[in-house]
Amino acid sequence: EVLLVQSGAEVKEPGESLKISCKGSGYRFSTYWIGWVRQMPGKGLEWMGIIYPRDSDTRYSPSFQGQVTISADESINTAYLQWSSLKASDTAMYYCARRLGYCTSTCPPDFDYWGQGTLVTVSS
Amino acid sequence: QSVLTQPPSVSAAPGQKVTISCSGSNSNIGNNYVSWYQQLPGTAPKLLIYDNNKRPSGIPDRFSGSKSGTSATLGITGLQTGDEAYYYCGTWDSSLSDVVFGGGTKLTVL
């Protein structure tokens, strides 16, 4: 069974750093792209970026480039999303998801398995 | 303001059919594959359709997808109360080099 299990909810203050995780199991982790999707409270889906764990090829949405860092450690089947300095506007649910196929010059959002989500709350 | 335009809400009676539209442009829907997601309250999105009209394993054939020009459509037949959810379309935008989603459509099964 394919599973993506994300780390637990976080409550942080503005300016703090944070790294959340997404651990895959039940499939060959290194050969599937893992994407991150943000959903702000009561809002829609926003694609943040995606990584191929085998070679760490990473693509970012222009909206999130420079704002977050996506990484992966294929030895422990885990992908990460991190912030160096959180803002209140980063308060959201963050999902990781496995992409069906390989990203080429395009990377449509074909995510067949999703994590349960990590709720990040940033408040002073 | 989302790059892809969906109606905010649609409704239909149990057993009936509903369609949800997703309108874009040549840089996104017109030249790239479209996916559709269902998001039940408090849960992660679920892939219903990819590559415009393909269903992942386990998705019933009550759900269908189509694309024409710069618009895509999700169809759901034999509506059930369990289909009440938000539905999102998504695709790649070649001009933005970004994934774009619609704003979401709330389906109510009356």
Side-chain angles (χ1 to χ4, degrees):
Chain A
E1 181 192 12
V2 174
L3 283 176
L4 294 174
V5 179
Q6 297 185 229
S7 49
E10 301 273 2
V11 179
K12 293 287 189 179
E13 295 190 355
E16 290 190 308
S17 63
L18 176 65
K19 191 173 188 177
I20 62 175
S21 65
C22 169
K23 183 174 177 63
S25 62
Y27 73 100
R28 193 171 179 186
F29 181 80
S30 61
T31 59
Y32 283 82
W33 293 78
I34 292 286
W36 288 93
V37 175
R38 181 175 81 173
Q39 189 166 36
M40 299 177 78
K43 301 299 183 182
L45 307 176
E46 300 174 273
W47 184 81
M48 303 177 72
I50 198 165
I51 188 166
Y52 191 63
R54 169 167 276 187
D55 61 8
S56 293
D57 183 0
T58 308
R59 321 275 177 90
Y60 289 96
S61 164
S63 299
F64 291 93
Q65 177 86 48
Q67 307 305 308
V68 297
T69 301
I70 294 171
S71 60
D73 184 342
E74 62 171 329
S75 70
I76 55 172
N77 293 352
T78 302
Y80 302 97
L81 176 65
Q82 69 180 86
W83 296 258
S84 58
S85 180
L86 287 161
K87 311 185 225 2
S89 57
D90 292 318
T91 294
M93 182 71 82
Y94 293 88
Y95 294 103
C96 66
R98 187 187 85 162
R99 191 174 187 275
L100 269 171
Y102 195 83
C103 287
T104 57
S105 57
T106 68
C107 199
D110 304 336
F111 294 118
D112 59 349
Y113 287 92
W114 291 65
Q116 81 278 19
T118 296
L119 180 62
V120 174
T121 304
V122 184
S123 174
S124 54
Chain B
Q1 194 81 356
S2 302
V3 172
L4 304 181
T5 301
Q6 297 181 235
S9 63
V10 296
S11 62
Q16 297 301 303
K17 173 182 178 177
V18 72
T19 60
I20 297 173
S21 61
C22 177
S23 177
S25 66
N26 282 326
S27 65
N28 43 66
I29 292 177
N31 284 284
N32 292 288
Y33 289 116
V34 177
S35 305
W36 287 92
Y37 290 90
Q38 175 194 64
Q39 188 174 30
L40 298 168
T43 70
K46 178 182 181 180
L47 182 65
L48 296 176
I49 299 290
Y50 69 99
D51 287 0
N52 301 333
N53 55 19
K54 297 177 182 174
R55 283 178 284 107
S57 61
I59 301 300
D61 59 8
R62 298 191 300 111
F63 295 92
S64 64
S66 64
K67 189 180 95 167
S68 178
T70 59
S71 293
T73 302
L74 173 70
I76 311 173
T77 60
L79 277 171
Q80 303 169 3
T81 54
D83 295 331
E84 286 204 333
Y86 276 91
Y87 292 84
Y88 295 92
C89 58
T91 187
W92 181 260
D93 190 297
S94 301
S95 295
L96 299 175
S97 292
D98 199 359
V99 166
V100 290
F101 288 103
T105 298
K106 183 174 182 179
L107 169 63
T108 301
V109 181
L110 301 166

